[in-house]
Amino acid sequence: MQNSEEEKLIARRLKITDKKKGFIELLQQLSICDSVSEKEFEDRFQELDSLGDDHVICVIEDEISGKIIATGSVFIEKKFLRNCGKVGHIEDVVVDSSARGKQLGKKVINFLTDHARSVGCYKVILDCSVENRAFYEKCGFKPKEIQMAMYFV
């Protein structure tokens, strides 16, 4: 990728117009994400937007195609521990299969961790698959304990 192309691939916050740019289709490359109507998208966008800096969704748009090609989110947990500290939780990181290998995942992670740091988090955490461990280690994360889950659906 040329530098001029790379410079156009800027991490930014999700906009309400990004549904039309393939945001939901990108999430479908990560996990189960059924179709989302315009109204459902707008309602959820407004709900998350009302949380301000406590829930941020980052996207990278390919200016040439007009498609969203990378995304991730961070939500801020407010705790009593650590002098009423805050923890950033990173979720839903995905790079379009056609855009992998261009350091976009790293851009998303940097955007999200920078945000968590800027709002006063003392740490940022995430869960990942074994296959993605090396990527997150390159981003500065270290394995810690184990993940447990209980699904309701």
Side-chain angles (χ1 to χ4, degrees), residues 23-152:
F23 176 71
I24 299 300
E25 292 78 6
L26 177 61
L27 289 177
Q28 290 170 341
Q29 293 183 37
L30 179 66
S31 188
I32 298 166
C33 184
D34 297 326
S35 63
V36 175
S37 72
E38 290 293 327
K39 176 151 180 27
E40 289 170 325
F41 184 85
E42 288 175 15
D43 289 349
R44 181 54 46 97
F45 180 90
Q46 296 298 342
E47 179 183 2
L48 295 174
D49 194 49
S50 74
L51 299 174
D53 286 338
D54 286 346
H55 193 127
V56 171
I57 299 174
C58 166
V59 297
I60 297 177
E61 178 181 350
D62 179 351
E63 298 288 336
I64 296 166
S65 69
K67 293 287 184 192
I68 301 299
I69 56 172
T71 187
S73 65
V74 63
F75 69 90
I76 310 304
E77 176 189 6
K78 296 175 180 174
K79 305 177 82 66
F80 286 104
L81 295 172
R82 301 248 182 158
N83 299 313
C84 293
K86 299 176 188 176
V87 175
H89 293 261
I90 292 179
E91 292 281 340
D92 305 334
V93 176
V94 61
V95 174
D96 187 89
S97 59
S98 68
R100 293 183 185 150
K102 300 178 180 178
Q103 305 292 307
L104 300 181
K106 190 169 185 175
K107 279 187 181 190
V108 168
I109 292 298
N110 288 341
F111 182 96
L112 299 173
T113 55
D114 287 349
H115 174 75
R117 186 179 294 112
S118 76
V119 298
C121 291
Y122 68 89
K123 72 177 179 178
V124 65
I125 59 177
L126 57 81
D127 293 323
C128 71
S129 65
V130 173
E131 299 82 38
N132 291 331
R133 179 178 170 171
F135 165 73
Y136 288 108
E137 287 177 338
K138 287 179 189 173
C139 292
F141 287 82
K142 294 177 180 18
K144 175 116 167 83
E145 301 175 8
I146 62 171
Q147 174 200 38
M148 304 287 287
M150 180 186 291
Y151 287 87
F152 298 113

Side-chain angles (χ1 to χ4, degrees), residues 15-26:
K15 297 177 184 174
I16 200 160
T17 54
D18 288 334
K19 181 181 187 298
K20 293 182 172 95
K21 296 178 179 181
F23 176 71
I24 299 300
E25 292 78 6
L26 177 61

